[in-house]
Amino acid sequence: MFEAKRIARLKWACRRGMLELDVLLLPFVEQAFDTLTFAEQETFERLLTSDDPDLYAWFMGHQPCLDPDFAKMVTLVKSKIKLGQ
């Protein structure tokens, strides 16, 4: 389980330069991050080290994510955070 300080850094890392990413990433951490396994949490943390244009392309479906762990995490985030609710 992630400690509070690590969660705070994670929330800060979710603040991106694109609104489209902000509305996915931060709500995911606040609403669903605790339900992930430790390995999934670490994968999400690593995912956040990706560049914004790559994250945007993956989340919007403009290009496939070649890293299978990241691809699985993108799908998981999208399934947990429903926009327009």
Side-chain angles (χ1 to χ4, degrees):
M1 180 162 222
F2 277 35
E3 59 195 35
K5 195 174 196 179
R6 196 169 176 186
I7 293 286
R9 280 193 304 263
L10 198 63
K11 286 181 179 181
W12 182 256
C14 286
R15 298 178 59 175
R16 311 302 287 206
M18 295 180 162
L19 178 61
E20 295 87 350
L21 296 175
D22 291 350
V23 299
L24 284 169
L25 299 174
L26 187 57
F28 177 76
V29 170
E30 293 173 341
Q31 299 169 19
F33 187 76
D34 289 340
T35 66
L36 303 179
T37 66
F38 186 73
E40 290 171 329
Q41 289 176 340
E42 288 188 323
T43 298
F44 182 77
E45 186 177 45
R46 285 187 300 109
L47 178 72
L48 293 179
T49 66
S50 302
D51 293 331
D52 285 358
D54 291 332
L55 288 171
Y56 180 81
W58 299 334
F59 278 105
M60 299 303 138
H62 297 164
Q63 76 182 46
C65 179
L66 300 179
D67 181 307
D69 291 333
F70 285 1
K72 184 177 174 184
M73 186 55 56
V74 166
T75 301
L76 181 62
V77 170
K78 289 170 55 175
S79 74
K80 297 283 185 180
I81 302 302
K82 303 291 186 202
L83 299 177
Q85 290 184 356

